[in-house]
Amino acid sequence: MSNRLNQQREKELQPKRIELALKKLSALGYTANEVDDTKIKFLHKGQAVVFFPYSGWHSGKSIKDGRGLENLLKQLKS
């Protein structure tokens, strides 16, 4: 069974990943506009950015789409 389909694992890890992502974004001065069970939305250079903590996927007009929290944070710092 693939990890992505393991809903119990996702249910356990999702809150921890959301909390970690919010903490790291806050440390860079970002405030989430919207947070739910699967995603975090915030503004970067006046444009909306969406981050999905479980998969690590991030997307938005002001960044290069990709995967991984650390990759997102690197883009936000530059």
mmCIF file of all heavy atoms in Angstrom, residues 5-33:
data_model
loop_
_atom_site.group_PDB
_atom_site.id
_atom_site.type_symbol
_atom_site.label_atom_id
_atom_site.label_comp_id
_atom_site.label_asym_id
_atom_site.label_seq_id
_atom_site.Cartn_x
_atom_site.Cartn_y
_atom_site.Cartn_z
ATOM 1 N N LEU A 5 -1.922 6.620 0.097
ATOM 2 C CA LEU A 5 -3.242 6.043 0.301
ATOM 3 C C LEU A 5 -3.479 5.622 1.745
ATOM 4 O O LEU A 5 -4.571 5.238 2.100
ATOM 5 C CB LEU A 5 -3.438 4.835 -0.625
ATOM 6 C CG LEU A 5 -3.399 5.161 -2.116
ATOM 7 C CD1 LEU A 5 -3.526 3.878 -2.926
ATOM 8 C CD2 LEU A 5 -4.484 6.138 -2.495
ATOM 9 N N ASN A 6 -2.432 5.689 2.558
ATOM 10 C CA ASN A 6 -2.561 5.314 3.951
ATOM 11 C C ASN A 6 -3.182 6.487 4.716
ATOM 12 O O ASN A 6 -2.494 7.352 5.237
ATOM 13 C CB ASN A 6 -1.187 4.943 4.515
ATOM 14 C CG ASN A 6 -1.275 4.364 5.910
ATOM 15 O OD1 ASN A 6 -2.236 4.613 6.635
ATOM 16 N ND2 ASN A 6 -0.262 3.610 6.290
ATOM 17 N N GLN A 7 -4.487 6.489 4.774
ATOM 18 C CA GLN A 7 -5.202 7.628 5.352
ATOM 19 C C GLN A 7 -4.980 7.758 6.852
ATOM 20 O O GLN A 7 -4.993 8.866 7.384
ATOM 21 C CB GLN A 7 -6.685 7.528 5.013
ATOM 22 C CG GLN A 7 -6.929 7.701 3.528
ATOM 23 C CD GLN A 7 -8.384 7.539 3.149
ATOM 24 O OE1 GLN A 7 -9.183 6.975 3.880
ATOM 25 N NE2 GLN A 7 -8.725 8.042 1.984
ATOM 26 N N GLN A 8 -4.762 6.642 7.538
ATOM 27 C CA GLN A 8 -4.503 6.708 8.975
ATOM 28 C C GLN A 8 -3.186 7.431 9.232
ATOM 29 O O GLN A 8 -3.097 8.293 10.108
ATOM 30 C CB GLN A 8 -4.463 5.297 9.586
ATOM 31 C CG GLN A 8 -4.231 5.291 11.080
ATOM 32 C CD GLN A 8 -5.314 6.026 11.861
ATOM 33 O OE1 GLN A 8 -6.499 5.970 11.505
ATOM 34 N NE2 GLN A 8 -4.938 6.745 12.899
ATOM 35 N N ARG A 9 -2.154 7.099 8.448
ATOM 36 C CA ARG A 9 -0.852 7.754 8.582
ATOM 37 C C ARG A 9 -0.987 9.250 8.293
ATOM 38 O O ARG A 9 -0.443 10.088 9.010
ATOM 39 C CB ARG A 9 0.156 7.113 7.630
ATOM 40 C CG ARG A 9 1.545 7.694 7.742
ATOM 41 C CD ARG A 9 2.520 6.900 6.855
ATOM 42 N NE ARG A 9 3.882 7.314 7.086
ATOM 43 C CZ ARG A 9 4.491 8.296 6.430
ATOM 44 N NH1 ARG A 9 3.873 8.948 5.486
ATOM 45 N NH2 ARG A 9 5.729 8.623 6.710
ATOM 46 N N GLU A 10 -1.721 9.571 7.237
ATOM 47 C CA GLU A 10 -1.932 10.973 6.877
ATOM 48 C C GLU A 10 -2.649 11.710 8.006
ATOM 49 O O GLU A 10 -2.275 12.824 8.371
ATOM 50 C CB GLU A 10 -2.748 11.064 5.589
ATOM 51 C CG GLU A 10 -2.964 12.481 5.118
ATOM 52 C CD GLU A 10 -3.637 12.577 3.770
ATOM 53 O OE1 GLU A 10 -3.729 11.572 3.061
ATOM 54 O OE2 GLU A 10 -4.073 13.692 3.427
ATOM 55 N N LYS A 11 -3.656 11.075 8.583
ATOM 56 C CA LYS A 11 -4.433 11.686 9.663
ATOM 57 C C LYS A 11 -3.549 11.989 10.874
ATOM 58 O O LYS A 11 -3.733 12.999 11.550
ATOM 59 C CB LYS A 11 -5.570 10.738 10.042
ATOM 60 C CG LYS A 11 -6.611 11.317 10.938
ATOM 61 C CD LYS A 11 -7.729 10.302 11.138
ATOM 62 C CE LYS A 11 -8.784 10.819 12.072
ATOM 63 N NZ LYS A 11 -9.846 9.836 12.306
ATOM 64 N N GLU A 12 -2.567 11.105 11.133
ATOM 65 C CA GLU A 12 -1.667 11.303 12.268
ATOM 66 C C GLU A 12 -0.616 12.377 11.993
ATOM 67 O O GLU A 12 -0.280 13.165 12.869
ATOM 68 C CB GLU A 12 -0.950 9.994 12.592
ATOM 69 C CG GLU A 12 -1.860 8.935 13.177
ATOM 70 C CD GLU A 12 -1.190 7.569 13.268
ATOM 71 O OE1 GLU A 12 0.043 7.488 13.109
ATOM 72 O OE2 GLU A 12 -1.916 6.589 13.503
ATOM 73 N N LEU A 13 -0.078 12.397 10.776
ATOM 74 C CA LEU A 13 1.022 13.308 10.463
ATOM 75 C C LEU A 13 0.582 14.718 10.064
ATOM 76 O O LEU A 13 1.301 15.682 10.290
ATOM 77 C CB LEU A 13 1.878 12.726 9.328
ATOM 78 C CG LEU A 13 2.685 11.493 9.679
ATOM 79 C CD1 LEU A 13 3.405 10.969 8.454
ATOM 80 C CD2 LEU A 13 3.673 11.789 10.786
ATOM 81 N N GLN A 14 -0.588 14.833 9.468
ATOM 82 C CA GLN A 14 -1.051 16.120 8.947
ATOM 83 C C GLN A 14 -1.006 17.250 9.985
ATOM 84 O O GLN A 14 -0.431 18.302 9.710
ATOM 85 C CB GLN A 14 -2.462 15.953 8.378
ATOM 86 C CG GLN A 14 -2.966 17.163 7.631
ATOM 87 C CD GLN A 14 -2.528 17.175 6.192
ATOM 88 O OE1 GLN A 14 -1.374 17.462 5.905
ATOM 89 N NE2 GLN A 14 -3.429 16.861 5.311
ATOM 90 N N PRO A 15 -1.583 17.078 11.180
ATOM 91 C CA PRO A 15 -1.557 18.186 12.157
ATOM 92 C C PRO A 15 -0.132 18.611 12.533
ATOM 93 O O PRO A 15 0.141 19.800 12.691
ATOM 94 C CB PRO A 15 -2.291 17.627 13.372
ATOM 95 C CG PRO A 15 -3.115 16.500 12.848
ATOM 96 C CD PRO A 15 -2.352 15.938 11.681
ATOM 97 N N LYS A 16 0.777 17.644 12.662
ATOM 98 C CA LYS A 16 2.162 17.957 13.014
ATOM 99 C C LYS A 16 2.841 18.740 11.893
ATOM 100 O O LYS A 16 3.589 19.687 12.143
ATOM 101 C CB LYS A 16 2.944 16.668 13.290
ATOM 102 C CG LYS A 16 2.443 15.906 14.496
ATOM 103 C CD LYS A 16 3.128 14.560 14.607
ATOM 104 C CE LYS A 16 2.451 13.725 15.686
ATOM 105 N NZ LYS A 16 2.840 12.337 15.629
ATOM 106 N N ARG A 17 2.582 18.343 10.670
ATOM 107 C CA ARG A 17 3.199 19.024 9.525
ATOM 108 C C ARG A 17 2.632 20.427 9.341
ATOM 109 O O ARG A 17 3.350 21.348 8.988
ATOM 110 C CB ARG A 17 3.023 18.190 8.261
ATOM 111 C CG ARG A 17 3.851 16.923 8.313
ATOM 112 C CD ARG A 17 3.764 16.136 7.050
ATOM 113 N NE ARG A 17 4.555 14.910 7.166
ATOM 114 C CZ ARG A 17 4.770 14.077 6.181
ATOM 115 N NH1 ARG A 17 4.262 14.318 4.984
ATOM 116 N NH2 ARG A 17 5.484 12.994 6.360
ATOM 117 N N ILE A 18 1.342 20.581 9.590
ATOM 118 C CA ILE A 18 0.724 21.907 9.501
ATOM 119 C C ILE A 18 1.333 22.815 10.568
ATOM 120 O O ILE A 18 1.715 23.946 10.289
ATOM 121 C CB ILE A 18 -0.815 21.818 9.651
ATOM 122 C CG1 ILE A 18 -1.419 21.204 8.385
ATOM 123 C CG2 ILE A 18 -1.420 23.188 9.935
ATOM 124 C CD1 ILE A 18 -2.908 20.919 8.475
ATOM 125 N N GLU A 19 1.444 22.311 11.793
ATOM 126 C CA GLU A 19 2.004 23.091 12.900
ATOM 127 C C GLU A 19 3.451 23.509 12.600
ATOM 128 O O GLU A 19 3.829 24.662 12.802
ATOM 129 C CB GLU A 19 1.941 22.257 14.181
ATOM 130 C CG GLU A 19 2.377 22.998 15.414
ATOM 131 C CD GLU A 19 2.280 22.134 16.672
ATOM 132 O OE1 GLU A 19 1.419 21.242 16.725
ATOM 133 O OE2 GLU A 19 3.080 22.385 17.591
ATOM 134 N N LEU A 20 4.262 22.586 12.115
ATOM 135 C CA LEU A 20 5.653 22.881 11.788
ATOM 136 C C LEU A 20 5.745 23.939 10.678
ATOM 137 O O LEU A 20 6.515 24.894 10.776
ATOM 138 C CB LEU A 20 6.388 21.607 11.355
ATOM 139 C CG LEU A 20 7.835 21.805 10.916
ATOM 140 C CD1 LEU A 20 8.700 22.264 12.080
ATOM 141 C CD2 LEU A 20 8.382 20.518 10.315
ATOM 142 N N ALA A 21 4.938 23.765 9.640
ATOM 143 C CA ALA A 21 4.956 24.715 8.521
ATOM 144 C C ALA A 21 4.543 26.109 8.980
ATOM 145 O O ALA A 21 5.179 27.104 8.616
ATOM 146 C CB ALA A 21 4.041 24.229 7.396
ATOM 147 N N LEU A 22 3.501 26.192 9.797
ATOM 148 C CA LEU A 22 3.046 27.494 10.302
ATOM 149 C C LEU A 22 4.132 28.157 11.144
ATOM 150 O O LEU A 22 4.358 29.366 11.041
ATOM 151 C CB LEU A 22 1.762 27.342 11.119
ATOM 152 C CG LEU A 22 0.495 27.037 10.323
ATOM 153 C CD1 LEU A 22 -0.654 26.707 11.258
ATOM 154 C CD2 LEU A 22 0.135 28.208 9.414
ATOM 155 N N LYS A 23 4.811 27.369 11.965
ATOM 156 C CA LYS A 23 5.877 27.884 12.815
ATOM 157 C C LYS A 23 7.023 28.450 11.967
ATOM 158 O O LYS A 23 7.516 29.548 12.220
ATOM 159 C CB LYS A 23 6.384 26.759 13.724
ATOM 160 C CG LYS A 23 7.398 27.163 14.742
ATOM 161 C CD LYS A 23 7.742 25.969 15.631
ATOM 162 C CE LYS A 23 8.870 26.295 16.567
ATOM 163 N NZ LYS A 23 9.246 25.138 17.386
ATOM 164 N N LYS A 24 7.429 27.705 10.942
ATOM 165 C CA LYS A 24 8.538 28.145 10.095
ATOM 166 C C LYS A 24 8.153 29.346 9.232
ATOM 167 O O LYS A 24 8.961 30.247 9.022
ATOM 168 C CB LYS A 24 9.040 26.987 9.239
ATOM 169 C CG LYS A 24 9.735 25.944 10.084
ATOM 170 C CD LYS A 24 10.546 24.986 9.263
ATOM 171 C CE LYS A 24 11.359 24.094 10.190
ATOM 172 N NZ LYS A 24 12.502 23.506 9.525
ATOM 173 N N LEU A 25 6.916 29.380 8.745
ATOM 174 C CA LEU A 25 6.449 30.528 7.960
ATOM 175 C C LEU A 25 6.388 31.769 8.848
ATOM 176 O O LEU A 25 6.785 32.860 8.438
ATOM 177 C CB LEU A 25 5.084 30.246 7.339
ATOM 178 C CG LEU A 25 5.078 29.257 6.183
ATOM 179 C CD1 LEU A 25 3.655 28.844 5.839
ATOM 180 C CD2 LEU A 25 5.771 29.854 4.960
ATOM 181 N N SER A 26 5.892 31.605 10.059
ATOM 182 C CA SER A 26 5.797 32.705 11.010
ATOM 183 C C SER A 26 7.184 33.269 11.331
ATOM 184 O O SER A 26 7.355 34.482 11.439
ATOM 185 C CB SER A 26 5.104 32.223 12.282
ATOM 186 O OG SER A 26 5.046 33.257 13.220
ATOM 187 N N ALA A 27 8.177 32.388 11.453
ATOM 188 C CA ALA A 27 9.544 32.822 11.738
ATOM 189 C C ALA A 27 10.093 33.711 10.620
ATOM 190 O O ALA A 27 10.952 34.556 10.866
ATOM 191 C CB ALA A 27 10.447 31.612 11.940
ATOM 192 N N LEU A 28 9.565 33.538 9.410
ATOM 193 C CA LEU A 28 9.980 34.379 8.279
ATOM 194 C C LEU A 28 9.085 35.606 8.128
ATOM 195 O O LEU A 28 9.254 36.386 7.191
ATOM 196 C CB LEU A 28 9.955 33.570 6.971
ATOM 197 C CG LEU A 28 10.993 32.466 6.832
ATOM 198 C CD1 LEU A 28 10.841 31.772 5.482
ATOM 199 C CD2 LEU A 28 12.403 33.017 6.969
ATOM 200 N N GLY A 29 8.109 35.755 9.019
ATOM 201 C CA GLY A 29 7.243 36.929 8.995
ATOM 202 C C GLY A 29 5.968 36.765 8.191
ATOM 203 O O GLY A 29 5.285 37.735 7.910
ATOM 204 N N TYR A 30 5.623 35.537 7.835
ATOM 205 C CA TYR A 30 4.396 35.288 7.062
ATOM 206 C C TYR A 30 3.269 34.888 7.988
ATOM 207 O O TYR A 30 3.478 34.175 8.979
ATOM 208 C CB TYR A 30 4.621 34.187 6.018
ATOM 209 C CG TYR A 30 5.551 34.618 4.910
ATOM 210 C CD1 TYR A 30 6.912 34.362 4.983
ATOM 211 C CD2 TYR A 30 5.069 35.304 3.810
ATOM 212 C CE1 TYR A 30 7.774 34.780 3.987
ATOM 213 C CE2 TYR A 30 5.920 35.727 2.804
ATOM 214 C CZ TYR A 30 7.275 35.460 2.900
ATOM 215 O OH TYR A 30 8.112 35.887 1.907
ATOM 216 N N THR A 31 2.069 35.346 7.660
ATOM 217 C CA THR A 31 0.872 34.993 8.411
ATOM 218 C C THR A 31 -0.078 34.274 7.470
ATOM 219 O O THR A 31 -0.349 34.759 6.367
ATOM 220 C CB THR A 31 0.173 36.260 8.949
ATOM 221 O OG1 THR A 31 1.114 36.996 9.741
ATOM 222 C CG2 THR A 31 -1.034 35.912 9.788
ATOM 223 N N ALA A 32 -0.584 33.141 7.911
ATOM 224 C CA ALA A 32 -1.513 32.368 7.091
ATOM 225 C C ALA A 32 -2.853 33.088 6.997
ATOM 226 O O ALA A 32 -3.382 33.551 7.998
ATOM 227 C CB ALA A 32 -1.697 30.981 7.674
ATOM 228 N N ASN A 33 -3.379 33.198 5.768
ATOM 229 C CA ASN A 33 -4.705 33.775 5.557
ATOM 230 C C ASN A 33 -5.777 32.726 5.794
ATOM 231 O O ASN A 33 -6.879 33.035 6.200
ATOM 232 C CB ASN A 33 -4.864 34.272 4.116
ATOM 233 C CG ASN A 33 -3.912 35.376 3.768
ATOM 234 O OD1 ASN A 33 -3.154 35.831 4.600
ATOM 235 N ND2 ASN A 33 -3.938 35.802 2.531
#
